[in-house]
Coordinates of all heavy atoms in Angstrom, one line a residue:
I22 N -16.2 -2.0 -1.7 CA -17.1 -0.9 -2.0 C -16.8 -0.4 -3.4 O -17.8 -0.2 -4.2 CB -17.0 0.3 -1.0 CG1 -17.4 -0.1 0.3 CG2 -17.7 1.5 -1.5 CD1 -17.2 0.9 1.5
C23 N -15.5 -0.2 -3.8 CA -15.2 0.2 -5.1 C -15.6 -0.7 -6.2 O -16.1 -0.3 -7.2 CB -13.7 0.5 -5.2 SG -13.1 1.9 -4.3
E24 N -15.5 -2.0 -5.9 CA -15.9 -3.0 -6.9 C -17.5 -2.9 -7.1 O -17.9 -3.0 -8.3 CB -15.5 -4.5 -6.4 CG -14.0 -4.7 -6.4 CD -13.4 -4.5 -7.8 OE1 -13.9 -4.9 -8.8 OE2 -12.3 -3.9 -7.8
K25 N -18.2 -2.7 -6.1 CA -19.7 -2.5 -6.3 C -20.0 -1.3 -7.1 O -20.9 -1.3 -7.9 CB -20.3 -2.5 -4.8 CG -20.3 -3.8 -4.2 CD -21.0 -3.7 -2.8 CE -21.0 -5.0 -2.0 NZ -21.6 -4.9 -0.7
I26 N -19.4 -0.2 -6.8 CA -19.6 1.0 -7.5 C -19.3 0.8 -9.0 O -19.9 1.3 -9.9 CB -18.9 2.2 -6.9 CG1 -19.4 2.5 -5.4 CG2 -19.0 3.5 -7.8 CD1 -18.7 3.5 -4.7
R27 N -18.1 0.2 -9.2 CA -17.6 -0.1 -10.5 C -18.6 -0.8 -11.4 O -18.7 -0.6 -12.6 CB -16.2 -0.6 -10.6 CG -15.5 -0.7 -11.9 CD -14.1 -1.2 -11.9 NE -13.2 -0.4 -11.2 CZ -12.5 -0.7 -10.1 NH1 -12.5 -1.9 -9.8 NH2 -11.7 0.1 -9.6
K28 N -19.2 -1.8 -10.8 CA -20.2 -2.6 -11.6 C -21.5 -1.8 -11.8 O -21.9 -1.9 -13.0 CB -20.7 -3.8 -10.6 CG -19.7 -4.9 -10.5 CD -20.2 -5.9 -9.6 CE -19.0 -6.9 -9.4 NZ -19.5 -8.1 -8.6
L29 N -21.8 -0.8 -11.0 CA -23.0 0.1 -11.4 C -22.6 1.2 -12.4 O -23.4 1.4 -13.2 CB -23.4 0.8 -10.1 CG -24.1 -0.2 -9.0 CD1 -24.3 0.6 -7.8 CD2 -25.3 -0.9 -9.5
S30 N -21.4 1.7 -12.2 CA -21.0 2.8 -13.1 C -19.4 2.6 -13.4 O -18.6 3.1 -12.6 CB -21.2 4.1 -12.5 OG -20.9 5.2 -13.3
P31 N -19.1 1.8 -14.4 CA -17.6 1.5 -14.7 C -16.7 2.7 -14.8 O -15.5 2.6 -14.4 CB -17.7 0.8 -16.0 CG -19.1 0.3 -16.1 CD -19.9 1.3 -15.4
D32 N -17.2 3.9 -15.2 CA -16.4 5.1 -15.3 C -16.1 5.8 -14.0 O -15.3 6.7 -14.0 CB -16.8 6.0 -16.4 CG -16.9 5.2 -17.7 OD1 -16.0 4.3 -18.0 OD2 -17.6 5.7 -18.6
T33 N -16.8 5.5 -13.1 CA -16.8 6.3 -11.8 C -15.6 6.0 -10.9 O -15.0 6.9 -10.3 CB -18.1 5.9 -10.9 OG1 -19.2 6.2 -11.7 CG2 -18.1 6.8 -9.7
V34 N -15.1 4.8 -10.9 CA -14.0 4.4 -10.0 C -12.8 3.9 -10.9 O -12.9 3.1 -11.7 CB -14.4 3.3 -9.0 CG1 -13.2 2.9 -8.3 CG2 -15.6 3.7 -8.2
S35 N -11.7 4.6 -10.6 CA -10.5 4.2 -11.4 C -9.9 2.8 -10.9 O -9.8 2.7 -9.7 CB -9.4 5.3 -11.3 OG -8.2 4.9 -11.9
P36 N -9.4 2.0 -11.6 CA -8.7 0.8 -11.2 C -7.4 1.1 -10.6 O -6.7 0.3 -9.9 CB -8.7 -0.1 -12.3 CG -8.7 0.8 -13.5 CD -9.5 2.0 -13.1
S37 N -6.8 2.3 -10.8 CA -5.5 2.8 -10.3 C -5.6 3.3 -9.0 O -6.5 4.0 -8.6 CB -4.9 3.7 -11.3 OG -4.8 3.2 -12.6
L38 N -4.6 3.0 -8.2 CA -4.5 3.6 -6.9 C -4.2 5.1 -6.9 O -4.8 5.9 -6.2 CB -3.5 2.9 -6.0 CG -3.2 3.4 -4.6 CD1 -4.5 3.3 -3.7 CD2 -2.1 2.6 -4.0
F39 N -3.3 5.5 -7.8 CA -2.9 6.9 -7.8 C -3.5 7.4 -9.2 O -3.1 7.0 -10.3 CB -1.4 7.1 -7.8 CG -0.8 6.7 -6.5 CD1 -0.1 5.5 -6.5 CD2 -0.9 7.5 -5.4 CE1 0.5 5.1 -5.2 CE2 -0.3 7.1 -4.2 CZ 0.4 5.9 -4.1
I40 N -4.3 8.5 -9.1 CA -4.8 9.1 -10.3 C -4.6 10.7 -10.2 O -4.5 11.2 -9.2 CB -6.3 8.8 -10.6 CG1 -7.1 9.1 -9.3 CG2 -6.5 7.4 -10.8 CD1 -8.6 9.1 -9.5
S41 N -4.5 11.2 -11.4 CA -4.5 12.7 -11.4 C -5.8 13.4 -11.1 O -6.8 12.7 -11.0 CB -4.0 13.1 -12.9 OG -5.0 12.9 -13.7
N42 N -5.7 14.7 -11.1 CA -7.0 15.5 -10.9 C -8.0 15.3 -12.0 O -9.2 15.4 -11.8 CB -6.7 17.0 -10.8 CG -5.9 17.3 -9.6 OD1 -5.8 16.6 -8.6 ND2 -5.2 18.5 -9.6
K43 N -7.4 14.9 -13.2 CA -8.3 14.7 -14.3 C -8.9 13.2 -14.4 O -9.6 12.8 -15.3 CB -7.6 15.0 -15.6 CG -7.3 16.5 -15.7 CD -6.5 16.8 -16.9 CE -6.1 18.3 -17.0 NZ -5.3 18.7 -18.1
G44 N -8.3 12.4 -13.5 CA -8.8 11.0 -13.4 C -7.9 10.0 -14.3 O -8.2 8.8 -14.3
S45 N -6.8 10.4 -14.7 CA -5.9 9.6 -15.6 C -4.9 8.9 -14.6 O -4.5 9.5 -13.6 CB -5.2 10.3 -16.7 OG -4.4 11.3 -16.1
K46 N -4.5 7.7 -14.9 CA -3.5 7.0 -14.2 C -2.1 7.6 -14.1 O -1.6 8.1 -15.1 CB -3.4 5.6 -14.8 CG -2.4 4.7 -14.0 CD -2.2 3.4 -14.8 CE -1.2 2.5 -14.2 NZ -1.0 1.2 -14.8
L47 N -1.6 7.8 -12.9 CA -0.3 8.3 -12.8 C 0.8 7.2 -12.9 O 0.6 6.1 -12.4 CB 0.0 8.9 -11.4 CG -0.8 10.2 -11.1 CD1 -0.7 10.7 -9.7 CD2 -0.6 11.3 -12.1
T48 N 1.9 7.5 -13.6 CA 2.9 6.5 -13.8 C 3.8 6.4 -12.5 O 3.8 7.2 -11.7 CB 3.9 6.8 -15.0 OG1 4.6 8.1 -14.6 CG2 3.1 7.1 -16.2
P49 N 4.4 5.2 -12.4 CA 5.3 5.0 -11.1 C 6.4 6.1 -11.1 O 6.7 6.6 -10.0 CB 6.0 3.6 -11.4 CG 5.0 2.9 -12.2 CD 4.4 3.9 -13.2
N50 N 7.0 6.5 -12.1 CA 7.9 7.6 -12.2 C 7.4 8.9 -11.7 O 8.0 9.6 -10.9 CB 8.5 7.8 -13.6 CG 9.6 8.7 -13.7 OD1 10.5 8.7 -12.8 ND2 9.7 9.5 -14.6
W51 N 6.2 9.2 -12.1 CA 5.5 10.5 -11.6 C 5.2 10.4 -10.1 O 5.3 11.4 -9.5 CB 4.2 10.7 -12.4 CG 3.7 12.0 -12.2 CD1 2.5 12.3 -11.5 CD2 4.1 13.3 -12.6 NE1 2.2 13.6 -11.4 CE2 3.3 14.3 -12.1 CE3 5.2 13.7 -13.3 CZ2 3.5 15.6 -12.3 CZ3 5.5 15.0 -13.5 CH2 4.5 16.0 -13.0
I52 N 4.8 9.3 -9.7 CA 4.5 9.1 -8.2 C 5.8 9.3 -7.4 O 5.8 10.0 -6.3 CB 3.8 7.7 -7.9 CG1 2.5 7.7 -8.6 CG2 3.7 7.5 -6.5 CD1 1.9 6.3 -8.7
Q53 N 6.9 8.8 -7.9 CA 8.1 8.9 -7.2 C 8.6 10.4 -7.2 O 9.1 10.9 -6.1 CB 9.3 8.1 -7.9 CG 9.1 6.6 -7.6 CD 10.0 5.7 -8.5 OE1 10.7 6.3 -9.4 NE2 10.2 4.5 -8.2
K54 N 8.3 11.1 -8.2 CA 8.6 12.5 -8.3 C 7.8 13.3 -7.3 O 8.2 14.2 -6.6 CB 8.4 13.1 -9.7 CG 9.4 12.7 -10.7 CD 9.1 13.3 -12.0 CE 10.1 12.8 -13.1 NZ 9.8 13.3 -14.4
L55 N 6.5 12.9 -7.1 CA 5.6 13.6 -6.2 C 6.1 13.3 -4.8 O 6.0 14.1 -3.9 CB 4.2 13.1 -6.3 CG 3.5 13.6 -7.6 CD1 2.2 12.9 -7.8 CD2 3.3 15.1 -7.7
F56 N 6.5 12.1 -4.4 CA 7.0 11.7 -3.1 C 8.3 12.6 -2.8 O 8.4 13.1 -1.7 CB 7.3 10.3 -3.0 CG 6.1 9.4 -2.5 CD1 5.0 9.2 -3.2 CD2 6.1 9.1 -1.1 CE1 3.9 8.4 -2.7 CE2 5.1 8.3 -0.6 CZ 4.0 8.1 -1.5
R57 N 9.2 12.6 -3.8 CA 10.4 13.4 -3.6 C 10.1 14.8 -3.3 O 10.7 15.4 -2.4 CB 11.3 13.1 -4.9 CG 12.8 13.6 -4.6 CD 13.7 13.3 -5.7 NE 13.0 13.0 -7.0 CZ 13.0 11.8 -7.7 NH1 13.3 10.8 -7.0 NH2 12.4 11.6 -8.9
K58 N 9.2 15.4 -4.1 CA 8.8 16.8 -3.9 C 8.1 17.0 -2.5 O 8.5 18.1 -1.8 CB 7.9 17.3 -5.0 CG 7.6 18.7 -5.1 CD 6.8 19.0 -6.3 CE 6.7 20.5 -6.6 NZ 5.9 20.8 -7.9
A59 N 7.2 16.2 -2.1 CA 6.6 16.3 -0.9 C 7.6 16.2 0.3 O 7.5 16.9 1.3 CB 5.6 15.2 -0.7
G60 N 8.6 15.2 0.1 CA 9.6 15.1 1.0 C 10.5 16.4 1.2 O 10.9 16.7 2.3
Q61 N 10.8 17.0 0.2 CA 11.6 18.3 0.2 C 10.8 19.3 1.0 O 11.4 20.1 1.8 CB 11.9 18.8 -1.2 CG 12.8 17.9 -1.9 CD 13.0 18.3 -3.4 OE1 12.1 19.1 -3.9 NE2 14.0 17.8 -4.1
H62 N 9.5 19.4 0.9 CA 8.6 20.3 1.6 C 8.5 20.1 3.1 O 8.4 21.0 3.9 CB 7.3 20.6 0.9 CG 7.4 21.3 -0.4 ND1 7.7 22.6 -0.5 CD2 7.2 20.8 -1.6 CE1 7.6 22.9 -1.8 NE2 7.3 21.8 -2.5
T63 N 8.5 18.7 3.4 CA 8.2 18.4 4.7 C 9.5 18.0 5.6 O 9.4 17.8 6.8 CB 7.3 17.2 4.8 OG1 7.9 15.9 4.1 CG2 5.9 17.5 4.1
G64 N 10.5 17.6 4.8 CA 11.7 17.1 5.4 C 11.7 15.7 5.9 O 12.5 15.2 6.6
I65 N 10.7 15.0 5.3 CA 10.5 13.5 5.6 C 10.8 12.7 4.3 O 10.3 13.1 3.2 CB 9.0 13.3 5.8 CG1 8.6 14.0 7.2 CG2 8.8 11.7 6.1 CD1 7.1 13.9 7.5
I66 N 11.8 11.9 4.5 CA 12.2 11.0 3.3 C 11.3 9.9 3.3 O 11.3 8.9 4.2 CB 13.6 10.7 3.4 CG1 14.6 11.9 3.4 CG2 14.0 9.7 2.3 CD1 16.0 11.7 3.7
A67 N 10.5 9.8 2.3 CA 9.6 8.6 2.2 C 9.5 8.2 0.6 O 9.9 8.9 -0.2 CB 8.1 9.0 2.5
H68 N 9.2 7.0 0.4 CA 9.1 6.3 -0.9 C 7.7 5.7 -1.0 O 7.2 5.2 0.0 CB 10.2 5.3 -1.0 CG 11.5 5.8 -0.8 ND1 12.3 6.5 -1.7 CD2 12.3 5.7 0.4 CE1 13.4 6.9 -1.1 NE2 13.5 6.5 0.1
P69 N 7.2 5.7 -2.2 CA 5.9 4.9 -2.4 C 5.8 3.6 -1.8 O 4.8 3.2 -1.4 CB 5.8 5.0 -3.9 CG 6.6 6.1 -4.4 CD 7.8 6.1 -3.5
H70 N 6.9 2.8 -1.9 CA 6.9 1.5 -1.2 C 6.7 1.4 0.1 O 6.2 0.5 0.7 CB 8.2 0.8 -1.7 CG 8.2 -0.7 -1.6 ND1 7.5 -1.4 -2.6 CD2 8.5 -1.6 -0.6 CE1 7.6 -2.8 -2.2 NE2 8.2 -2.8 -1.1
S71 N 6.9 2.6 0.9 CA 6.6 2.6 2.3 C 5.1 2.6 2.6 O 4.7 2.1 3.6 CB 7.3 3.9 2.9 OG 6.8 5.0 2.3
L72 N 4.3 3.0 1.6 CA 2.8 2.8 1.7 C 2.5 1.3 1.8 O 1.6 1.0 2.5 CB 2.3 3.6 0.6 CG 2.2 5.0 0.5 CD1 1.6 5.6 -0.8 CD2 1.6 5.7 1.8
R73 N 3.1 0.5 1.0 CA 2.9 -0.9 1.0 C 3.2 -1.5 2.3 O 2.4 -2.2 3.0 CB 3.7 -1.6 -0.1 CG 3.6 -3.1 -0.1 CD 4.5 -3.6 -1.2 NE 4.5 -5.0 -1.1 CZ 3.7 -6.0 -1.7 NH1 2.7 -5.5 -2.5 NH2 3.9 -7.2 -1.7
H74 N 4.3 -1.1 2.9 CA 4.7 -1.7 4.1 C 3.8 -1.1 5.3 O 3.4 -1.9 6.2 CB 6.1 -1.3 4.6 CG 7.1 -2.2 3.7 ND1 7.4 -3.4 4.1 CD2 7.8 -1.9 2.5 CE1 8.2 -3.9 3.1 NE2 8.4 -3.0 2.2
T75 N 3.4 0.1 5.3 CA 2.5 0.7 6.3 C 1.2 0.0 6.2 O 0.6 -0.4 7.3 CB 2.4 2.2 6.1 OG1 3.6 2.8 6.1 CG2 1.4 2.7 7.0
F76 N 0.6 -0.2 5.0 CA -0.6 -0.9 4.8 C -0.5 -2.3 5.4 O -1.4 -2.8 6.1 CB -1.0 -1.0 3.4 CG -2.2 -1.9 3.1 CD1 -3.5 -1.4 3.4 CD2 -2.1 -3.2 2.7 CE1 -4.6 -2.2 3.2 CE2 -3.2 -4.0 2.4 CZ -4.4 -3.5 2.7
G77 N 0.5 -3.1 4.9 CA 0.7 -4.4 5.5 C 0.8 -4.5 7.0 O 0.2 -5.5 7.6
T78 N 1.5 -3.7 7.6 CA 1.8 -3.7 9.0 C 0.4 -3.5 9.8 O 0.0 -4.2 10.7 CB 2.7 -2.6 9.4 OG1 4.0 -2.9 8.8 CG2 2.9 -2.5 10.9
Y79 N -0.3 -2.4 9.3 CA -1.6 -2.1 10.0 C -2.7 -3.2 9.7 O -3.5 -3.5 10.5 CB -2.0 -0.7 9.8 CG -1.2 0.2 10.6 CD1 -0.2 0.9 10.1 CD2 -1.7 0.5 11.9 CE1 0.7 1.6 11.0 CE2 -0.9 1.4 12.7 CZ 0.2 1.9 12.3 OH 1.0 2.7 13.0
H80 N -2.6 -3.7 8.5 CA -3.6 -4.7 8.1 C -3.4 -5.9 9.1 O -4.3 -6.6 9.6 CB -3.5 -5.2 6.7 CG -4.5 -6.2 6.3 ND1 -4.3 -7.5 6.5 CD2 -5.6 -6.0 5.5 CE1 -5.4 -8.1 6.0 NE2 -6.2 -7.3 5.4
Y81 N -2.1 -6.2 9.3 CA -1.8 -7.4 10.2 C -2.2 -7.1 11.6 O -2.9 -7.9 12.3 CB -0.3 -7.8 10.1 CG -0.1 -8.9 11.1 CD1 -0.4 -10.2 10.8 CD2 0.4 -8.7 12.4 CE1 -0.3 -11.3 11.7 CE2 0.6 -9.7 13.3 CZ 0.4 -11.0 13.0 OH 0.5 -12.0 13.7
L82 N -1.9 -5.8 12.1 CA -2.4 -5.4 13.5 C -3.9 -5.6 13.7 O -4.3 -5.9 14.7 CB -1.9 -4.0 13.6 CG -0.5 -3.8 14.3 CD1 -0.2 -2.3 14.3 CD2 -0.3 -4.4 15.6
L83 N -4.6 -5.1 12.7 CA -6.0 -5.1 12.9 C -6.7 -6.4 12.6 O -7.7 -6.7 13.2 CB -6.7 -4.1 11.9 CG -6.2 -2.6 12.2 CD1 -6.8 -1.7 11.1 CD2 -6.8 -2.1 13.5
N84 N -6.1 -7.3 11.8 CA -6.8 -8.5 11.4 C -6.2 -9.8 11.9 O -6.8 -10.8 12.0 CB -7.0 -8.6 10.0 CG -7.8 -7.5 9.3 OD1 -9.0 -7.3 9.7 ND2 -7.3 -6.6 8.6
R85 N -4.9 -9.7 12.2 CA -4.1 -10.9 12.7 C -4.3 -12.1 11.7 O -4.4 -13.2 12.2 CB -4.5 -11.3 14.1 CG -4.3 -10.2 15.2 CD -2.8 -10.0 15.4 NE -2.7 -9.1 16.5 CZ -1.6 -8.5 16.7 NH1 -0.6 -8.7 16.2 NH2 -1.6 -7.6 17.7
D86 N -4.5 -11.8 10.5 CA -4.7 -12.9 9.5 C -3.4 -12.9 8.5 O -3.4 -12.3 7.5 CB -5.9 -12.6 8.6 CG -6.2 -13.5 7.5 OD1 -5.5 -14.7 7.5 OD2 -7.0 -13.2 6.6
L87 N -2.4 -13.7 8.9 CA -1.2 -13.7 8.1 C -1.4 -14.4 6.7 O -0.9 -13.9 5.8 CB -0.1 -14.5 8.9 CG 1.3 -14.4 8.4 CD1 1.8 -12.9 8.3 CD2 2.3 -15.2 9.3
Q88 N -2.2 -15.3 6.7 CA -2.5 -16.1 5.5 C -3.2 -15.2 4.5 O -2.7 -15.0 3.3 CB -3.4 -17.3 5.8 CG -3.7 -18.2 4.4 CD -2.4 -18.9 4.0 OE1 -1.6 -19.3 4.8 NE2 -2.3 -19.0 2.7
G89 N -4.2 -14.4 4.9 CA -4.9 -13.5 4.0 C -4.0 -12.3 3.6 O -4.1 -11.9 2.5
L90 N -3.2 -11.8 4.5 CA -2.3 -10.7 4.2 C -1.3 -11.2 3.2 O -0.9 -10.5 2.2 CB -1.5 -10.2 5.4 CG -0.5 -9.1 5.3 CD1 -1.2 -7.9 4.6 CD2 0.2 -8.6 6.5
S91 N -0.7 -12.4 3.3 CA 0.3 -13.0 2.4 C -0.3 -13.0 1.0 O 0.3 -12.6 0.0 CB 0.6 -14.4 2.8 OG 1.6 -14.9 2.0
K92 N -1.6 -13.5 0.8 CA -2.2 -13.5 -0.4 C -2.5 -12.1 -0.9 O -2.2 -11.9 -2.1 CB -3.6 -14.2 -0.2 CG -4.3 -14.6 -1.5 CD -5.6 -15.4 -1.1 CE -5.7 -16.6 -1.9 NZ -6.9 -17.4 -1.7
L93 N -2.9 -11.2 -0.2 CA -3.2 -9.9 -0.5 C -2.0 -9.2 -1.0 O -2.0 -8.4 -2.1 CB -3.7 -9.1 0.7 CG -4.2 -7.7 0.5 CD1 -5.4 -7.6 -0.5 CD2 -4.7 -7.1 1.8
M94 N -0.7 -9.4 -0.4 CA 0.5 -8.8 -0.8 C 1.2 -9.5 -1.9 O 2.1 -9.0 -2.5 CB 1.4 -8.8 0.4 CG 0.9 -8.0 1.6 SD 0.3 -6.3 1.2 CE 1.8 -5.4 1.5
G95 N 0.6 -10.7 -2.4 CA 1.2 -11.4 -3.4 C 2.4 -12.2 -3.2 O 3.2 -12.5 -4.0
H96 N 2.7 -12.5 -1.9 CA 3.8 -13.3 -1.6 C 3.6 -14.8 -1.8 O 2.5 -15.3 -1.4 CB 4.1 -13.1 0.0 CG 4.6 -11.7 0.3 ND1 4.4 -11.2 1.6 CD2 5.1 -10.7 -0.5 CE1 4.8 -10.0 1.5 NE2 5.3 -9.6 0.3
E97 N 4.5 -15.5 -2.4 CA 4.3 -17.0 -2.6 C 4.5 -17.7 -1.3 O 4.0 -18.7 -1.1 CB 5.4 -17.4 -3.7 CG 5.0 -16.9 -5.1 CD 5.9 -17.4 -6.1 OE1 6.7 -18.4 -5.9 OE2 6.0 -16.8 -7.2
N98 N 5.4 -17.1 -0.5 CA 5.7 -17.9 0.8 C 5.3 -17.1 2.0 O 5.6 -15.8 2.1 CB 7.2 -18.1 0.8 CG 7.7 -18.9 2.0 OD1 7.1 -19.0 3.0 ND2 8.8 -19.6 1.9
I99 N 4.5 -17.6 2.9 CA 3.9 -16.9 4.1 C 5.1 -16.4 4.9 O 4.9 -15.4 5.7 CB 2.9 -17.9 4.8 CG1 2.1 -17.0 5.7 CG2 3.6 -19.0 5.6 CD1 0.9 -17.7 6.3
Q100 N 6.2 -17.1 4.9 CA 7.3 -16.6 5.8 C 7.8 -15.3 5.3 O 8.3 -14.5 6.1 CB 8.5 -17.6 5.7 CG 8.2 -19.0 6.3 CD 7.9 -18.8 7.8 OE1 7.6 -17.8 8.4 NE2 8.0 -20.0 8.5
T101 N 7.7 -15.0 4.0 CA 8.1 -13.6 3.6 C 7.2 -12.6 4.2 O 7.6 -11.6 4.7 CB 7.9 -13.6 2.1 OG1 8.8 -14.6 1.4 CG2 8.4 -12.2 1.5
T102 N 5.9 -12.8 4.2 CA 4.9 -11.9 5.0 C 5.3 -11.8 6.4 O 5.3 -10.7 6.9 CB 3.5 -12.4 4.7 OG1 3.3 -12.8 3.3 CG2 2.5 -11.5 5.1
H103 N 5.5 -12.9 7.0 CA 5.9 -13.0 8.4 C 7.1 -12.1 8.7 O 7.1 -11.2 9.6 CB 6.1 -14.4 9.0 CG 6.3 -14.4 10.4 ND1 7.5 -14.2 11.0 CD2 5.4 -14.7 11.4 CE1 7.3 -14.3 12.3 NE2 6.1 -14.7 12.6
K104 N 8.1 -12.2 7.9 CA 9.4 -11.5 8.0 C 9.2 -10.0 7.9 O 9.7 -9.2 8.7 CB 10.4 -12.0 7.0 CG 11.7 -11.2 6.9 CD 12.5 -11.9 5.8 CE 13.5 -10.8 5.3 NZ 14.3 -11.4 4.1
F105 N 8.4 -9.5 7.0 CA 8.3 -8.1 6.7 C 7.2 -7.4 7.6 O 7.4 -6.3 7.9 CB 7.8 -7.8 5.3 CG 9.0 -8.0 4.4 CD1 9.2 -9.1 3.5 CD2 10.0 -7.0 4.3 CE1 10.2 -9.2 2.6 CE2 11.2 -7.2 3.6 CZ 11.2 -8.2 2.7
Y106 N 6.2 -8.1 8.1 CA 5.1 -7.4 8.7 C 4.9 -7.8 10.2 O 4.5 -6.9 11.0 CB 3.8 -7.5 8.0 CG 4.0 -7.1 6.6 CD1 4.1 -8.0 5.4 CD2 4.1 -5.8 6.3 CE1 4.3 -7.4 4.2 CE2 4.3 -5.2 5.0 CZ 4.4 -6.1 4.0 OH 4.6 -5.6 2.7
V107 N 5.0 -9.0 10.6 CA 4.7 -9.3 12.0 C 5.6 -8.6 13.0 O 5.2 -8.1 14.0 CB 4.8 -10.9 12.3 CG1 4.6 -11.3 13.6 CG2 3.7 -11.5 11.3
D108 N 7.0 -8.7 12.8 CA 7.9 -8.0 13.7 C 7.7 -6.5 13.8 O 7.5 -6.0 14.9 CB 9.4 -8.3 13.3 CG 10.3 -7.7 14.3 OD1 10.2 -8.0 15.5 OD2 11.2 -7.0 13.9
T109 N 7.4 -5.9 12.7 CA 7.1 -4.4 12.7 C 5.8 -4.2 13.4 O 5.7 -3.3 14.1 CB 7.1 -3.9 11.3 OG1 8.2 -4.3 10.6 CG2 6.9 -2.4 11.3
A110 N 4.7 -5.0 13.1 CA 3.4 -4.9 13.8 C 3.6 -4.9 15.2 O 2.9 -4.3 16.0 CB 2.4 -5.8 13.2
T111 N 4.3 -5.9 15.7 CA 4.6 -6.2 17.2 C 5.1 -4.9 17.7 O 4.7 -4.4 18.8 CB 5.4 -7.3 17.3 OG1 4.8 -8.5 16.7 CG2 5.6 -7.6 18.9
K112 N 6.2 -4.4 17.1 CA 6.8 -3.1 17.6 C 5.9 -1.9 17.6 O 5.9 -1.2 18.6 CB 8.1 -2.8 16.8 CG 9.2 -3.8 17.0 CD 10.4 -3.5 16.1 CE 11.4 -4.5 16.3 NZ 12.5 -4.4 15.3
V113 N 5.2 -1.8 16.6 CA 4.1 -0.7 16.5 C 3.0 -0.8 17.5 O 2.7 0.2 18.2 CB 3.5 -0.6 15.2 CG1 2.2 0.3 15.1 CG2 4.4 -0.3 14.0
S114 N 2.7 -2.0 17.9 CA 1.7 -2.2 18.8 C 2.0 -1.9 20.3 O 1.2 -1.5 21.1 CB 1.1 -3.7 18.8 OG 2.2 -4.5 19.4
Y115 N 3.3 -1.8 20.6 CA 3.8 -1.4 21.8 C 3.8 0.1 21.9 O 3.8 0.7 22.8 CB 5.2 -2.0 22.1 CG 5.3 -3.5 22.4 CD1 6.0 -4.3 21.7 CD2 4.5 -4.0 23.4 CE1 6.0 -5.6 21.8 CE2 4.5 -5.3 23.6 CZ 5.3 -6.2 22.9 OH 5.3 -7.5 23.1

């Protein structure tokens, strides 16, 4: 959807996942600071990389496409994808 909108109006959709209220790209360091601050307020220790694992786990649960997920996550070896996501997805599904 974002790609289609970007073709129609390039300035409408940011290519970055994390953007500020003004639409500028947030740096990895800034995102880590935001996670740390949110964790202090909620009492939950989380890291931005946990979003990647959550996405991968639920993507596998919903699609059962290990090859596609491996490509999406940028893994050279499908066994890496299997190691990180299939076991966790299995546990989550119970």
Side-chain angles (χ1 to χ4, degrees):
I22 293 171
C23 289
E24 293 302 320
K25 289 180 182 179
I26 294 171
R27 190 176 292 126
K28 285 179 185 177
L29 296 173
S30 180
D32 298 331
T33 304
V34 179
S35 173
S37 301
L38 178 60
F39 296 105
I40 56 173
S41 71
N42 292 340
K43 296 178 183 178
S45 60
K46 179 181 176 181
L47 295 179
T48 65
N50 187 41
W51 189 252
I52 294 165
Q53 289 172 347
K54 287 179 183 179
L55 290 174
F56 266 75
R57 194 171 21 253
K58 192 173 185 178
Q61 289 171 347
H62 288 291
T63 62
I65 299 170
I66 299 172
H68 304 280
H70 199 75
S71 61
L72 293 176
R73 175 182 171 88
H74 286 281
T75 301
F76 172 81
T78 298
Y79 281 93
H80 186 279
Y81 179 76
L82 270 175
L83 295 171
N84 299 295
R85 301 288 183 193
D86 177 17
L87 192 59
Q88 183 72 33
L90 179 60
S91 180
K92 191 179 230 182
L93 188 63
M94 301 307 268
H96 295 154
E97 290 182 19
N98 187 333
I99 198 167
Q100 292 298 17
T101 303
T102 311
H103 187 277
K104 174 181 157 185
F105 284 109
Y106 301 108
V107 174
D108 184 51
T109 305
T111 303
K112 290 176 183 172
V113 167
S114 69
Y115 288 122

